[in-house]
Amino acid sequence: MPEYKGMKQAVRASEEDLRKIHMIPVPDDQKADEALKYLDEMRKKFRSFVTAMESCVKCGLCAENCHTYLGTRDPNNIPAGRADLVRKIYRRYFTPEGRWFGKLVGAEDISLDVIEEWYTYFYQCNECRRCAVVCPFGLDTCEVTMVMRQILHWLGMVPKLHAHVGHAMELTGNHTGLPKPGLVDTLEFLSEEIKDEFGVDVPFPVDKPDSDILYIPSSADFLLNPYTLMGAAMFFHYIGANWTIPSTMAEAGNFGLLFDQQATQRGNVMRLLDAAEKLGVKKIVWGECGHGWRAAKMYIPTLADRPVRWPITHLHDETSYYVQTGQLKLDPGKNNRPVTLHDPCNYGRACGLAENLRITLNACVPDFREMTLNREKNFCCGGGSAILFDDPEMYQLRIKFSQKKADQVRETGVGNNGDGVLCAPCSICKAQLYPMVEEHKLGVEVKGLIDLLGRALVWN
Amino acid sequence: MTFFIGQVLPYVTVVIFTLGILYRLWRWAMARIVHNITLSPFPQSNAQVAGIYAGEIVLFRNVFLFDKGLWIGAWPMHVALGSVIGGHVVGIYFLGKQFTYIGLSEHLSEQMSALLGTVFGLIMFAGLLYLLYRRLAIDSVRKISVPGDYLHLLLLLGIVSVGNFMRLFPAYGLEYGPAREYITGLVTLHPVPIPDNPLFIIHFLLVQVLLIVFPFSKLMHLFGMFANRWIMNRVYLDPAPGLPGVDLSKGVPVVRAVSEGGVTSAGV
Ligand code: HEM
Ligand code: SF4
Ligand code: SF4
């Protein structure tokens, strides 16, 4: 269990892990100087970072609105407090008031301790952006976290989890590290499952040339959320779509967004564009992955190095369209359990995907109950930005981060009889919530939204 | 000393205040909006964007929605602050006779001016005191506070206290007339001696201190709010839904599409 002066930290990528993601770690005695250099670069580049640094009034409104603070009561998890960890350095080196009146404005000299604080607390932020929604000025601590994780990456301080995923993506085109034969085997198996359970023959076209639609699933769906992948295939098959999954990019997620928004994130974007170009598709449809959808919808336009010729939409922008126009025959009775919806943060606050989820969900289930505080006001599941660390101490933190979510689910009463459904259409939410609904004894099963749609489809 | 405070410092203050703010704004402008990070639900028109700005500026909508306890102090304090600043400009320029324009007699107008000034001054004082109390009493707020956060409140409290005292005890106060004469001198670059009233001199000096620290402090939130919302609240129009090659007008094509199942793959 790594710890630095009492601060619990996520297990770090080793030097060998770092080399695999093309990073040369900076030796401890040079970290402070290098950090200042990188910070200078980032503050000159990101206006969202500078405004967050320079216009916070410390009103503290964000404190009770961040689930990480609610769960831990650690002042460094108050959004403004988290930003302060770098604001004190920013002030000291990059503002006149910090240089001349450091004590008054809380400026501090940089040191290895401060950098270790960064590593600790910028990896305790879920990048959920609830702070940006509530702040009177819209100051976005998620932007601060993203800038700081970039700097930490350049210093060679990345969690092992994130580095591994970055490397797996580069090797195989998906986060689970499945090579093409593995993908195909799994899909064959899922096809048989569909046949057994729903009585229909549904193929999973892989790398099919001249497809109309390129479907980008989350690779977690291959192993952890099979019904999500099955549901998507059933939907495409049902509407008679000419679709395919690219084996070189069987991954809706993009961990670049979470630790390296430059080389890593851009590399994954180029991989997608290559796949789309090679298979001659007309439209790209994104699977259930929150951060991945944000990375695709909002970041591809500024990261792609060539014109993007394909419209990119989310699976549920499409399902809701076909539901709304009455083109799907659905029997909600097939999902006859009380259901509540967890709005993935990236959908609700960064991608404008909230109403469409409800359109689809309401058509698929008979008893849908909203959580109190939903859509863009929803609380994060505690897994956001993939801080899904499994070592015991960090796991304890995850339980605390999900406390607010647990309270919200309990309030809806869907789990009262132990047969509720918590619909969470995002891979990271699912990965966090599978164990958390057990930890908090919520009496619900976690499912994706397309899982429910797949089950509700009426065939004949 | 009064010569410095009254006839030299004001010019230094104005220069630092203006250049300081320009320096800060220039720094913000040099950094870019690198990615599209507009918050959803996305505004669909610029009118909606303007609505967001207006709600936050006029009503402190977010503060109201998410922290009513803060709103009770913050909103009245800022409204009073705005009114007091406006009142100073108008009151001194029209010598308190501004309300004759809405039909009051000169005497009534002066009384109205005095009354409003007193009321807003007291609201502001109470609001600031409450914000200071809150900063000390609420654990999370105290923990993110640095000395500067308290000093701002104390400085404003100082300015407001002296101002209120002069209002409530006119014997120690200053008439609009001499104030206007003095300010006119400053504005026309023919500074005349500052009225010989110790409280007024202190009031005036503290305001100058506030303006000097303004560009180097969190008071820049006045501009920061616009700079940041400019990034966060933008129009975004979604691409149209509907999948290419899908035609359900003749019913669900499923029966036709049932295949032998399994995986079709070009490569395997
Ligand atoms: C459009 C203009 C402005 C808006 C929308 C605005 C909004 C806000 C908001 C939302 C807060 C946080 C709540 C609070 O702590 O009270 C705040 C704090 C504050 N504002 Fe403003 N403000 C504006 C202009 C000003 C100006 C011109 C000043 C002063 C000269 C000022 C002084 C302060 C102070 C001192 C605080 C901190 C209060 C504390 O320490 O708790 N504001 N402002
Ligand atoms: S809500 Fe905004 S202004 Fe207030 S403390 Fe948090 S980040 Fe700063
Ligand atoms: S992004 Fe979410 S987790 Fe991070 S500081 Fe803001 S509210 Fe807290």
Side-chain angles (χ1 to χ4, degrees), chain A residues 56-62 80 135-137 139, chain B residues 144:
Chain A
C56 171
V57 291
K58 302 293 183 67
C59 67
L61 182 154
C62 45
C135 172
F137 317 125
L139 300 180
Chain B
I144 55 171

Side-chain angles (χ1 to χ4, degrees), chain A residues 283-337:
Chain A
K283 191 168 190 176
I284 300 173
V285 175
W286 220 258
E288 292 190 352
C289 172
H291 86 278
W293 178 227
R294 181 178 186 200
K297 176 171 179 154
M298 307 310 285
Y299 285 71
I300 286 180
T302 38
L303 279 174
D305 287 334
R306 46 181 120 105
V308 179
R309 307 215 184 271
W310 310 272
I312 308 179
T313 53
H314 192 274
L315 180 61
H316 292 303
D317 290 331
E318 302 297 346
T319 60
S320 59
Y321 169 73
Y322 288 99
V323 164
Q324 231 173 356
T325 48
Q327 303 191 60
L328 303 179
K329 213 169 151 204
L330 295 161
D331 175 8
K334 294 189 189 179
N335 290 309
N336 203 2
R337 298 157 67 177

Side-chain angles (χ1 to χ4, degrees), chain A residues 230-296:
Chain A
M230 286 154 65
M234 285 177 354
F235 167 69
F236 285 126
H237 188 62
Y238 188 92
I239 61 172
N242 174 18
W243 69 294
T244 193
I245 294 174
S247 67
T248 53
M249 180 67 198
E251 182 55 72
N254 188 340
F255 271 36
L257 180 78
L258 312 177
F259 75 90
D260 173 23
Q261 297 193 346
Q262 306 205 4
T264 306
Q265 193 175 353
R266 188 186 304 269
N268 296 344
V269 170
M270 300 321 285
R271 210 178 230 287
L272 170 77
L273 301 186
D274 289 347
E277 182 264 321
K278 192 167 129 227
L279 295 171
V281 301
K282 301 198 178 96
K283 191 168 190 176
I284 300 173
V285 175
W286 220 258
E288 292 190 352
C289 172
H291 86 278
W293 178 227
R294 181 178 186 200

Side-chain angles (χ1 to χ4, degrees), chain A residues 108-156:
Chain A
E108 192 180 311
D109 286 341
I110 194 156
S111 65
L112 201 56
D113 287 0
V114 170
I115 295 173
E116 292 289 342
E117 271 178 358
W118 292 350
Y119 180 72
T120 310
Y121 288 104
F122 290 114
Y123 279 100
Q124 287 190 27
C125 170
N126 283 120
E127 301 192 339
C128 75
R129 303 188 85 199
R130 198 165 193 279
C131 44
V133 167
V134 302
C135 172
F137 317 125
L139 300 180
D140 191 351
T141 302
C142 172
E143 285 293 300
V144 177
T145 297
M146 284 172 167
V147 160
M148 296 314 291
R149 287 190 183 182
Q150 183 76 59
I151 292 172
L152 288 168
H153 171 62
W154 287 335
L155 291 172

Side-chain angles (χ1 to χ4, degrees), chain B residues 10 17 70 95 118 135 168 177 189 214 241 247:
Chain B
F17 180 73
L70 171 58
L95 298 177
T118 312
R135 195 167 283 291
L168 295 172
L189 302 186
F214 192 103
D247 179 9

Side-chain angles (χ1 to χ4, degrees), chain A residues 45 47 51 54 57-59 94 104 129 133 135-138 206 237 283 297 302 318 322 327 348-349 352, chain B residues 24 27-28 31-32 35 37 40 62 134-135 144 148 218 228-229 238 240 242-243 248 252 257 262 264 266:
Chain A
K45 188 166 174 185
R47 190 185 299 161
T51 49
E54 300 197 2
V57 291
K58 302 293 183 67
C59 67
F94 305 117
L104 282 187
R129 303 188 85 199
V133 167
C135 172
F137 317 125
V206 175
H237 188 62
K283 191 168 190 176
K297 176 171 179 154
T302 38
E318 302 297 346
Y322 288 99
Q327 303 191 60
R349 284 186 272 274
Chain B
R24 273 271 133 95
R27 277 165 55 119
W28 298 353
R32 289 180 295 128
H35 301 294
I37 58 169
S40 64
N62 264 2
R134 183 183 165 277
R135 195 167 283 291
I144 55 171
K218 67 176 187 180
N228 199 59
R229 293 218 168 267
D238 282 302
L243 294 168
L248 292 167
V252 173
T264 50

Side-chain angles (χ1 to χ4, degrees), chain A residues 2 14 28 45 47 50 62 69 72 97 118 172 175 186 221 231 240 242 289 301 323 352 354 362 364 388 397 410 429:
Chain A
S14 65
D28 277 355
K45 188 166 174 185
R47 190 185 299 161
V50 180
C62 45
Y69 177 64
T72 59
E97 66 272 22
W118 292 350
T172 59
H175 290 172
T186 312
D221 297 349
N242 174 18
C289 172
V323 164
N362 270 314
C364 297
L388 298 163
L397 265 184
R410 221 174 262 125
C429 301

